Amino acid sequence: MELLLWQWLPVMIARRYKVRFWFQIWISLAFFFPPHLGNGVFSAIKGGLFGGFYTVFTYVCWRERSLWKAFYMTYTMHAAANALAVALWWYRTSR
């Protein structure tokens, strides 16, 4: 849901108004970053800023080619990052 609301929707609206590549990314980050502050500043910087940057950059790059490829690449990248985070959390708590 977070990718749809805070990354793809802002990019879609920005593309509709012919906003340039880098502005699409910064607009999306402006929406994606604040909701991650609920878990603390470090989490927001790590997930909301750095993770958000890589996912939206991937989406905007692939969106130039096709909507399906952009969706698939971004979703796969985000799912892999979340799976890694869960695996690391599980490893730390199971010792």
Side-chain angles (χ1 to χ4, degrees), residues 8 10 22 27-28 31 38 45 47 52 56 59 67 90-92 95:
W8 297 337
W22 285 105
I27 289 168
S28 176
F31 286 95
I45 290 171
V56 76
Y59 178 75
L67 179 59
W90 179 80
Y91 176 75
R92 279 192 345 203
R95 294 192 286 155

Side-chain angles (χ1 to χ4, degrees), residues 11 17 21 39 45 48-49 52 54-55 65 68 72 84 90 93:
V11 170
Y17 290 100
F21 178 88
N39 294 328
I45 290 171
L49 191 60
Y54 286 112
T55 54
R65 297 180 188 185
W68 172 246
Y72 180 75
L84 178 62
W90 179 80
T93 59

Side-chain angles (χ1 to χ4, degrees), residues 3-79:
L3 290 177
L4 288 172
L5 292 175
W6 299 320
Q7 286 195 321
W8 297 337
L9 185 61
V11 170
M12 184 179 67
I13 293 169
R15 285 176 56 85
R16 173 102 170 116
Y17 290 100
K18 310 277 191 246
V19 174
R20 292 182 185 168
F21 178 88
W22 285 105
F23 287 121
Q24 292 177 35
I25 292 169
W26 294 116
I27 289 168
S28 176
L29 283 177
F31 286 95
F32 193 75
F33 179 75
H36 290 85
L37 284 169
N39 294 328
V41 174
F42 180 71
S43 177
I45 290 171
K46 183 178 61 172
L49 191 60
F50 291 123
F53 173 80
Y54 286 112
T55 54
V56 76
F57 183 82
T58 301
Y59 178 75
V60 173
C61 284
W62 282 96
R63 183 61 185 98
E64 298 295 322
R65 297 180 188 185
S66 92
L67 179 59
W68 172 246
K69 287 180 183 178
F71 172 79
Y72 180 75
M73 291 299 292
T74 308
Y75 179 80
T76 301
M77 191 169 119
H78 191 251

